[in-house]
Amino acid sequence: MNKINKEKIIKQTETAVVLEFSIPGSSDYFNGHFPGFPVLPAVAQIFIITHFVSRYFGICIELSKIKRTKFINIIQPDIPLVLYLEKIEKNISFKIISTDEKTVFSAGTLVLPEEL
């Protein structure tokens, strides 16, 4: 995915992965959100999360539901981010935070379809 910079695995197990990455200002994700003050939209964050779930858990995601999800702070271009993903049964919990762990950008749970 050319819309993600400097992807680096910090920790990986069979059911969890922690990644560090950033989204470059040139990414299409920022188009129209917002001129002069680019912000990563929530839908782009979900797309990025599902991309990493597919890559690291081998699950081609069709979401059944998204629950308990909060977009707490804005994500701007080129900010180093840490993504925590954990697969627990038919749920994928996620959290995007700053590398210093002081800022939570978003967190929630993706519910996978029963047939997976």
Side-chain angles (χ1 to χ4, degrees):
M1 175 180 270
N2 62 1
K3 297 178 183 180
I4 296 174
N5 275 344
K6 306 171 191 165
E7 177 185 341
K8 178 176 115 182
I9 298 171
I10 297 172
K11 181 180 178 183
Q12 184 175 14
T13 68
E14 193 172 300
T15 59
V17 66
V18 180
L19 304 165
E20 187 174 327
F21 67 99
S22 65
I23 309 296
S26 61
S27 170
D28 292 342
Y29 292 143
F30 294 107
N31 287 352
H33 291 90
F34 294 93
F37 191 76
V39 173
L40 187 66
V43 69
Q45 292 179 52
I46 296 299
F47 181 79
I48 290 164
I49 291 161
T50 59
H51 166 77
F52 284 132
V53 167
S54 176
R55 177 182 285 175
Y56 291 103
F57 298 138
I59 301 169
C60 190
I61 286 194
E62 286 186 28
L63 294 177
S64 169
K65 185 183 342 179
I66 300 173
K67 64 181 184 179
R68 295 190 306 266
T69 299
K70 300 204 186 281
F71 300 94
I72 303 159
N73 289 292
I74 61 169
I75 297 175
Q76 292 192 283
D78 302 307
I79 294 174
L81 303 167
V82 175
L83 171 62
Y84 289 84
L85 291 174
E86 184 174 15
K87 183 178 184 298
I88 304 169
E89 296 176 5
K90 295 292 181 184
N91 295 312
I92 304 284
S93 65
F94 72 89
K95 181 168 53 169
I96 300 175
I97 64 170
S98 60
T99 54
D100 65 5
E101 300 183 356
K102 292 182 180 180
T103 304
V104 175
F105 295 103
S106 58
T109 302
L110 310 178
V111 180
L112 304 172
E114 287 299 318
E115 56 273 1
L116 283 180

